[in-house]
């Protein structure tokens, strides 16, 4: 049974460095494919670091690997991923008249 | 502009070079050049170092037409034809190039009657909309450095997005009225997750996800002296009333408070309503003390894009020039919407990567129309372009002007020559051809 989470895509140092090194390079690609989850959620779902998970949003779905966030960094129920191709695939097109699609705080199922 | 020869045998140091990777636009970097490479970027952060050390000239051709090498002249001609043939074109990007190039891009949009949008629309565009409604109490980063004794970051994570923000402007510097630097300042971070920036703060306040609007209005009410129900506040913001009461009191007591806000506000549900609440809170606080707020702008010259597009059209982004005069309507003339609704029939993408950052439906449509892309690097967007130009990198190869996130224009001091033309040269060529085509129609 998929569980509901809120996904927060954001910038990271490695993603920023990866942009300069090249978007087809290893660092950038690794970083934008790394999903972070609270350790207690990992435990509850029986997940270990580097397990593959499917993230489903109302606009798309992607598969990637998951890793535990550092204790205290991410509250239970929240997921984090670096901005990039994957997070964009999960984002809807509606900008609610602002020009900006809702790119943070996306409802997803794991 | 003094650009060293690329094959110079002796190491050259360019002093006070400008990093254009992020909106901090640090202009105190010493660049060490050996041969045709930058080998050291003194004082640059990890992002700035990666920026300087990874921009050796790309060995791709300067121009590709339909992914095949072509001459730059043919590329310019093809680009001009493609844009003038279009019925509803889009010019998008602008934020990672000089203001000189941005000016030419706006001119082309004007000649062809195009939609014109910058990456602002998917960054701090909602903040631009909010400040049109509420106004903005602002200040320069120099004032923050010399006066800011209460520094708040809301939905912003400069430790990872603007790594020298703390040391150069907001937290660590000893300022004119803050002789002890960090010891004289209080820093509070508000966010939905405990970011790396929270570690540098005196206090971290976790905001309930997607409830920044509620938290900001709670603070507005408390600053105005309105009584609130503790249970409602806890339920709506994720924090007890006491936390917000203490924060409101601290804000009022500050001598010079500053709120830096990020895309945690603009990209989350509420968008411009969130930033409107924050701008209004800042305005309210000025009844008690001096308070300012600043968006933490991301791209090196996104602030320049807002400035240039505003001074040329009257609006910062999401502008339509089809009727021969500018119209502004975010949601209608913004790139993400125009593409997702399948309206644009050709595009020119300048120094940005919508193929990596836009929604799938927008990307799908961009893939289906002819477009021109100008970028120093190969990106998913350049890979799909009908005409792709590899251009010299601003700040590293190309001189010009960029605007720091506080609207201060800063000159660039390039370190290397490039075998590729600048986007200014390409855009100027396209503009010239466009004008010829229009004159002959
Ligand atoms: S803080 Fe930004 S502008 Fe300054 S060196 Fe780092 S990346 Fe460059």
């Amino acid at each position: 049974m998929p569980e509901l989470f809120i996904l927060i895509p954001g910038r990271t140092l490695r993603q920023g460095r990866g942009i300069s090194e090249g978007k087809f390079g290893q660092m950038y690609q690794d970083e934008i494919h790394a999903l972070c989850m609270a350790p207690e959620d990992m435990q509850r779902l029986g997940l270990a670091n580097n397990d593959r998970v499917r993230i489903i949003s109302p606009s798309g779905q992607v598969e990637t690997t998951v890793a535990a966030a550092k204790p205290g960094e991410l509250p239970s129920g929240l997921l984090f991923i670096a901005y990039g191709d994957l997070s964009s695939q999960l984002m809807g097109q509606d900008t609610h008249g602002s020009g900006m699609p809702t790119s943070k705080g996306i409802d997803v199922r794991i | 502009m003094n650009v060293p020869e690329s094959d110079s045998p002796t190491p050259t140091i360019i002093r006070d070079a400008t990093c254009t990777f992020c909106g901090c636009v640090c202009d105190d970097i010493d660049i060490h050049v050996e041969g045709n490479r930058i080998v050291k970027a003194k004082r640059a952060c990890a992002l700035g170092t990666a920026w300087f050390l990874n921009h050796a000239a790309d060995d791709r051709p300067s121009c590709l037409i339909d992914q095949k090498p072509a001459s730059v002249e043919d590329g310019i001609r093809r680009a001009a034809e493609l844009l003038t043939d279009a019925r509803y074109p889009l010019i998008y990007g602008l934020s990672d190039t000089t203001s000189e190039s941005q000016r030419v891009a706006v001119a082309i949009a004007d000649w062809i009657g195009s939609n014109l949008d910058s990456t602002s629309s998917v960054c701090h565009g909602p903040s631009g909309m909010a400040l049109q409604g509420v106004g903005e109490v602002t200040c320069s980063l120099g004032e923050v450095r010399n006066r800011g004794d209460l520094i708040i970051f809301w939905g912003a994570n400069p430790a990872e997005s603007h790594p020298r923000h703390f040391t150069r402007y907001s937290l660590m510097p000893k300022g004119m009225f803050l002789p002890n630097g960090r010891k004289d300042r209080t820093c509070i971070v508000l966010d939905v997750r405990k970011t790396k920036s929270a570690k540098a703060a005196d206090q971290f306040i976790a905001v309930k996800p997607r409830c920044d609007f509620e938290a900001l209005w709670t603070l507005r009410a408390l600053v105005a002296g309105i009584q609130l129900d503790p249970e409602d506040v806890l339920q709506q913001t994720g924090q007890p009333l006491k936390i917000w009461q203490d924060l409101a009191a601290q804000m009022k007591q500050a001598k010079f408070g500053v709120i830096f806000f990020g895309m945690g506000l603009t990209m989350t549900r509420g968008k411009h309503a969130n930033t409107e609440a924050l701008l209004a809170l800042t305005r309210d606080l000025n009844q008690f003390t001096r308070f300012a707020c600043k968006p933490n702008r991301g791209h090196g010259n996104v602030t320049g894009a807002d400035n240039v597009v505003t001074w040329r059209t009257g609006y910062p982004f999401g502008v339509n020039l089809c009727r021969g005069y500018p119209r502004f309507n975010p949601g209608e003339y913004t790139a993400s919407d125009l593409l997702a609704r399948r309206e644009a029939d050709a595009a020119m993408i300048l120094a940005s990567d919508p193929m990596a950052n836009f929604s799938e439906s927008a990307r799908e449509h961009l893939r289906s129309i002819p477009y021109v892309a100008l970028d120093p690097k190969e990106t998913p967007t350049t890979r799909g372009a009908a005409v792709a130009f590899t251009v010299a990198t601003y700040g590293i190869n190309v001189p010009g002007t960029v605007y720091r996130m506080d609207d201060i224009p800063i000159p660039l001091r390039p370190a290397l020559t490039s075998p590729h033309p600048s986007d200014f040269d390409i855009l100027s060529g396209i503009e010239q051809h466009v004008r010829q085509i229009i004159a002959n129609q």
Side-chain angles (χ1 to χ4, degrees), chain B residues 232-308:
Chain B
D232 278 356
V233 170
L234 179 62
Q235 194 258 322
Q236 288 174 6
T237 67
Q239 290 290 346
L241 178 60
K242 176 85 172 63
I243 290 280
W244 300 115
Q245 284 170 330
D246 289 350
L247 178 56
Q250 235 174 326
M251 286 169 139
K252 285 179 169 179
Q253 281 158 13
K255 287 197 186 113
F256 189 107
V258 189
I259 309 176
F260 289 98
F261 58 103
M263 293 190 292
L265 288 187
T266 62
M267 283 186 165
T268 308
R269 189 176 69 189
K271 298 165 192 168
H272 51 287
N274 296 336
T275 39
E276 239 168 51
L278 188 136
L279 297 179
L281 169 67
T282 310
R283 189 188 57 194
D284 298 349
L285 284 162
N286 279 275
Q287 290 172 9
F288 306 96
T289 183
R290 177 85 172 96
F291 230 93
C293 60
K294 294 241 55 86
N296 261 0
R297 305 307 304 269
H299 293 284
N301 199 21
V302 66
T303 309
D306 284 1
N307 275 279
V308 172

Side-chain angles (χ1 to χ4, degrees), chain B residues 19-26 29 43-45 47-48 162-165:
Chain B
C19 175
T20 54
F21 186 79
C22 85
C24 280
V25 188
C26 299
I29 314 288
R43 285 187 284 275
C45 68
L47 294 178
H162 303 74
R164 292 186 76 209
H165 200 291

Side-chain angles (χ1 to χ4, degrees), chain B residues 87-420:
Chain B
R87 290 163 59 98
Y88 204 57
L90 163 69
I91 295 183
Y92 173 73
L94 279 72
S95 303
D96 261 327
T97 186
T98 61
S99 288
E100 289 78 357
S101 298
Q102 291 165 345
R103 209 171 75 172
V104 187
V106 181
I108 297 171
D110 204 359
W111 286 114
I112 63 172
S114 172
N115 295 283
L116 174 67
D117 191 26
S118 77
T119 62
S120 245
S121 65
V122 291
C123 165
H124 272 287
S127 311
M129 291 164 70
L131 74 88
Q132 287 172 343
V134 180
E136 184 188 25
V137 188
T138 187
C139 65
S140 73
L141 292 174
E143 285 177 274
V144 178
R145 184 185 166 103
N146 285 304
R147 295 170 189 274
D149 64 339
L150 176 62
I151 308 292
I152 296 174
F153 293 95
W154 196 310
N157 181 17
E160 298 205 69
S161 58
H162 303 74
R164 292 186 76 209
H165 200 291
F166 294 155
T167 51
R168 199 163 141 77
Y169 304 113
S170 55
L171 276 193
M172 311 312 284
K174 292 184 173 147
M176 200 181 293
F177 301 102
L178 303 150
N180 303 309
R182 179 67 181 91
K183 289 199 197 96
D184 288 339
R185 303 179 204 259
T186 304
C187 175
I188 300 172
V189 167
L190 294 103
D191 212 316
V192 295
R193 66 187 179 102
K194 198 168 184 185
T195 59
K196 295 209 163 56
S197 299
K199 296 191 181 112
D202 300 295
Q203 189 187 359
F204 168 67
I205 300 175
V207 181
K208 188 173 164 185
R210 300 190 290 216
C211 292
D212 301 273
F213 180 84
E214 288 81 349
L216 285 158
W217 273 86
T218 300
L219 279 170
R220 280 199 77 192
L222 294 171
V223 167
I226 295 167
Q227 299 291 320
L228 295 174
D229 178 66
E231 272 180 33
D232 278 356
V233 170
L234 179 62
Q235 194 258 322
Q236 288 174 6
T237 67
Q239 290 290 346
L241 178 60
K242 176 85 172 63
I243 290 280
W244 300 115
Q245 284 170 330
D246 289 350
L247 178 56
Q250 235 174 326
M251 286 169 139
K252 285 179 169 179
Q253 281 158 13
K255 287 197 186 113
F256 189 107
V258 189
I259 309 176
F260 289 98
F261 58 103
M263 293 190 292
L265 288 187
T266 62
M267 283 186 165
T268 308
R269 189 176 69 189
K271 298 165 192 168
H272 51 287
N274 296 336
T275 39
E276 239 168 51
L278 188 136
L279 297 179
L281 169 67
T282 310
R283 189 188 57 194
D284 298 349
L285 284 162
N286 279 275
Q287 290 172 9
F288 306 96
T289 183
R290 177 85 172 96
F291 230 93
C293 60
K294 294 241 55 86
N296 261 0
R297 305 307 304 269
H299 293 284
N301 199 21
V302 66
T303 309
D306 284 1
N307 275 279
V308 172
V309 177
T310 303
W311 88 52
R312 299 220 59 179
T313 72
Y315 305 108
F317 63 94
V319 183
N320 175 290
L321 294 152
C322 276
R323 290 195 182 161
Y325 57 87
R327 291 180 293 165
F328 171 65
N329 198 8
E332 184 177 6
Y333 306 133
T334 29
S336 177
D337 303 271
L338 280 166
L339 292 171
R341 284 197 307 262
R342 314 184 69 80
E343 289 176 355
D345 59 348
M348 181 162 75
I349 312 294
L350 172 57
S352 69
D353 190 13
M355 276 302 197
N357 303 324
F358 276 12
S359 67
E360 191 50 39
S361 38
R363 291 194 267 185
E364 197 182 295
H365 183 60
L366 184 57
R367 233 174 261 133
S368 74
I369 60 173
Y371 67 88
V372 183
L374 297 92
D375 206 294
K377 292 252 175 203
E378 188 179 27
T379 66
T381 299
T382 63
R383 279 193 176 176
V387 186
F389 293 102
T390 309
V391 295
T393 307
Y394 79 134
I396 292 179
N397 315 118
V398 183
T401 312
V402 299
Y403 281 70
R404 204 168 65 187
M405 64 165 82
D406 55 346
D407 297 287
I408 306 290
I410 293 186
L412 301 179
R413 293 183 181 83
L416 297 173
T417 53
S418 169
H420 301 298

